[in-house]
């Protein structure tokens, strides 16, 4: 029981290959070779700013608010920490500036952890957040100037009791989110926060600050590029690629013989009305899994809320029809378990299959339109049509 529980809890960490690899390699490199030379510290220093600037450029271009503010507060924290470390002397860790920085960085990260992943940068809320952050930094600077320290003194390496507790809380919350949703952004959040935790914990060495802040910036950049790619070409709800991905793939050379099927999940509105959207999303994901696992299917793309495009390479219309009939029968006889109420329901699919023509070579929209028009003009359900 203990083994299965640990296996379940650690599964997202194991599944976050790239972030685990970045952090593990960086931590190993630090503990094996620190302190680093000035040249290597400078390389990590430049690498941090390069990742931050590139991340800012991408996030502003694609109007991403949540990751933008994460990047902004990490950038500000790095600049402040380097200056505190440089001018604070041997007891920099007991200065009000350092105590406030090490306490409010994880608190700010905790706030943005609960933001919507698709929050827009260009919005009224973002203006309020920027004003709030500037007010926070200004207030803390005034407290530090007057030597007023509202936090506890450091007692564990480079962190005071309060800072250590806040970092631990944010790490725990991001780990819970990572287990609960298994989302890419929460995996990045966990390892990014872990890198910052080690940067402050080992801040007595400038090498730790340069390396671990660089790791956090690199993790942010990788996550930004990955999430934007998935948003553009990938449907996160069902786990398949979307229509933009199909048109990108359609520029490649298709086989001489191929066919496509436009498949509709029947009665979606009725399922949502009776059982709720959460149950519908569960049923949708399970039904799409059936489409992906079917023999003979060479690609599944979501082209609308309840419409999917299936590719069949090196098969004519009749062969594709037989495959779709087998899929339709299997789904019609399957039972899909709901969240609440705990009951199973049955669903049906309606498909229209058409074969690629020579005229479709430069216009893949035409082949989709033929199949979609066939479905749209038909009043039947739970059937496979030929277009």
């Amino acid at each position: 029981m203990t083994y299965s529980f640990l296996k379940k809890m650690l599964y997202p960490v194991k599944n976050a290959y790239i972030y685990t690899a970045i952090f593990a390699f960086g931590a190993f490199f630090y503990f094996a070779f620190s302190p680093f030379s000035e040249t290597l510290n400078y390389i990590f220093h430049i690498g941090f700013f390069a990742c931050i600037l590139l991340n800012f450029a991408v996030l502003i271009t694609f109007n991403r608010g949540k990751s933008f503010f994460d990047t902004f507060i990490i950038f500000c924290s790095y600049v402040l920490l380097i200056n505190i470390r440089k001018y604070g002397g041997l007891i920099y860790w007991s200065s009000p500036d350092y105590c406030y920085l090490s306490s409010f960085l994880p608190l700010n990260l905790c706030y943005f952890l609960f933001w919507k992943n698709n929050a827009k940068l260009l919005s009224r809320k973002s203006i309020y957040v920027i004003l709030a952050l500037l007010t926070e930094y200004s207030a803390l600077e005034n407290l530090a100037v007057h030597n007023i320290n509202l936090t506890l003194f450091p007692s564990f390496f480079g962190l005071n009791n309060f800072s250590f507790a806040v970092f631990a809380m944010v790490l725990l919350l991001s780990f819970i989110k990572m287990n609960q949703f298994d989302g890419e952004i929460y995996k990045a959040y966990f390892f990014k926060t872990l890198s910052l935790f080690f940067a402050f914990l080992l801040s007595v060495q400038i090498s730790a600050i340069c390396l671990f802040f660089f790791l956090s910036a690199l993790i942010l950049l990788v996550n930004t590029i990955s999430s934007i790619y998935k948003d553009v070409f990938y449907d996160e709800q069902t786990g398949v690629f979307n229509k933009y991905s199909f048109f990108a793939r359609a520029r490649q050379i298709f086989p001489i013989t191929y066919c496509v099927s436009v498949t509709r999940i029947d009665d979606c509105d009725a399922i949502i009305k009776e059982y709720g959207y959460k149950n519908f999303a569960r049923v949708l994901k399970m039904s799409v899994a059936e489409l992906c696992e079917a023999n003979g299917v060479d690609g599944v793309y979501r082209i609308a809320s309840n419409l999917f495009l299936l590719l069949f390479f090196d098969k004519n219309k009749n062969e594709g029809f037989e495959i779709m009939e087998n899929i339709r029968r299997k789904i019609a006889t399957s039972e899909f378990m709901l969240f609440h109420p705990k009951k199973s329901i049955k669903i049906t699919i309606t498909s229209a299959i058409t074969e690629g023509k020579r005229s479709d070579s430069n216009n893949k929209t035409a082949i989709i339109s033929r199949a979609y028009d066939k479905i749209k003009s038909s009043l039947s359900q739970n059937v496979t049509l030929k277009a």
Side-chain angles (χ1 to χ4, degrees), residues 7 47 55 58 187 215 320:
K7 186 177 179 181
N55 208 29
V58 174
K187 297 170 186 176
L215 293 180

Side-chain angles (χ1 to χ4, degrees), residues 161-223:
N161 292 327
F162 181 73
S163 303
F164 191 90
V166 175
F167 262 115
M169 177 192 70
V170 178
L171 284 169
L172 178 62
L173 287 173
S174 57
F175 187 79
I176 292 172
K177 283 269 190 180
M178 186 170 63
N179 274 275
Q180 185 178 3
F181 297 103
D182 196 28
E184 197 78 14
I185 194 166
Y186 298 115
K187 297 170 186 176
Y189 229 96
F190 175 78
F191 286 102
K192 171 193 67 183
T193 307
L194 192 61
S195 299
L196 296 172
F197 172 73
F198 274 95
F200 279 91
L201 191 66
L202 305 171
S203 59
V204 68
Q205 288 195 21
I206 195 70
S207 298
I209 299 174
C210 294
L211 173 61
F212 285 106
F213 264 91
F214 167 69
L215 293 180
S216 68
L218 182 60
I219 289 170
L220 264 174
L221 179 60
V222 171
N223 177 248

Side-chain angles (χ1 to χ4, degrees), residues 236-382:
E236 191 172 355
Q237 185 183 44
T238 56
V240 298
F241 289 101
N242 59 23
K243 60 183 178 181
Y244 302 110
S245 180
F246 168 75
F247 287 119
R249 186 179 181 183
R251 297 191 187 101
Q252 304 171 6
I253 299 175
F254 273 38
I256 296 176
T257 304
Y258 71 95
C259 57
V260 303
S261 167
V262 172
T263 300
R264 181 187 67 204
I265 310 294
D266 296 328
D267 300 320
C268 287
D269 292 338
I271 295 173
I272 294 173
K273 186 176 180 180
E274 185 170 354
Y275 300 108
Y277 187 80
K278 191 174 182 180
N279 278 317
F280 165 72
R282 180 181 175 87
V283 170
L284 185 68
K285 191 170 184 177
M286 289 188 290
S287 59
V288 172
E290 294 282 356
L291 298 177
C292 295
E293 293 170 3
N295 291 327
V297 177
D298 294 299
V300 178
Y301 300 85
R302 188 179 188 182
I303 57 175
S305 60
N306 65 333
L307 288 177
F308 295 86
L309 181 72
L310 280 68
L311 294 181
F312 308 95
F313 289 157
D314 299 316
K315 295 177 180 66
N316 58 35
K317 186 190 296 187
N318 293 328
E319 291 171 323
F321 180 86
E322 289 300 321
I323 295 171
M324 278 310 308
E325 272 293 278
N326 292 332
I327 296 172
R328 183 190 63 79
R329 294 191 196 100
K330 184 177 180 181
I331 289 179
T333 56
S334 300
E335 294 186 346
F336 298 90
M337 184 62 66
L338 304 180
F339 275 117
H340 182 76
K342 286 287 185 181
K343 62 175 292 186
S344 60
I345 64 170
K346 290 189 174 185
I347 65 168
T348 60
I349 62 172
T350 300
S351 302
I353 191 161
T354 184
E355 192 169 338
K357 299 177 180 178
R358 189 182 297 273
S359 59
D360 298 327
S361 58
N362 296 319
N363 182 17
K364 293 299 187 294
T365 306
I367 192 171
I368 298 175
S369 298
R370 287 200 301 273
Y372 176 69
D373 290 342
K374 187 68 176 180
I375 284 186
K376 193 175 179 181
S377 62
S378 174
L379 299 177
S380 303
Q381 289 190 349
N382 192 24

Side-chain angles (χ1 to χ4, degrees), residues 89-196:
L90 295 176
I91 55 170
Y92 73 93
W93 38 263
S94 63
S95 66
D97 305 84
Y98 180 80
C99 293
Y100 288 137
L101 180 61
S102 61
S103 300
F104 279 85
L105 170 61
L107 283 175
N108 289 332
L109 290 175
C110 186
Y111 170 70
F112 290 113
L113 176 64
F114 293 95
W115 260 38
K116 290 182 178 180
N117 295 337
N118 59 352
K120 302 299 181 184
L121 174 61
L122 302 178
S123 65
R124 184 178 296 179
K125 184 178 181 180
S126 295
I127 297 174
Y128 295 151
V129 170
I130 291 173
L131 292 174
L133 286 173
L134 294 176
T135 304
E136 175 191 306
Y137 287 137
S138 178
L140 295 177
E141 182 186 10
N142 276 286
L143 289 172
V145 166
H146 292 89
N147 205 31
I148 301 173
N149 192 349
L150 301 179
T151 63
L152 301 176
F153 286 105
S155 60
F156 190 82
F157 287 91
L159 289 172
N160 60 53
N161 292 327
F162 181 73
S163 303
F164 191 90
V166 175
F167 262 115
M169 177 192 70
V170 178
L171 284 169
L172 178 62
L173 287 173
S174 57
F175 187 79
I176 292 172
K177 283 269 190 180
M178 186 170 63
N179 274 275
Q180 185 178 3
F181 297 103
D182 196 28
E184 197 78 14
I185 194 166
Y186 298 115
K187 297 170 186 176
Y189 229 96
F190 175 78
F191 286 102
K192 171 193 67 183
T193 307
L194 192 61
S195 299
L196 296 172

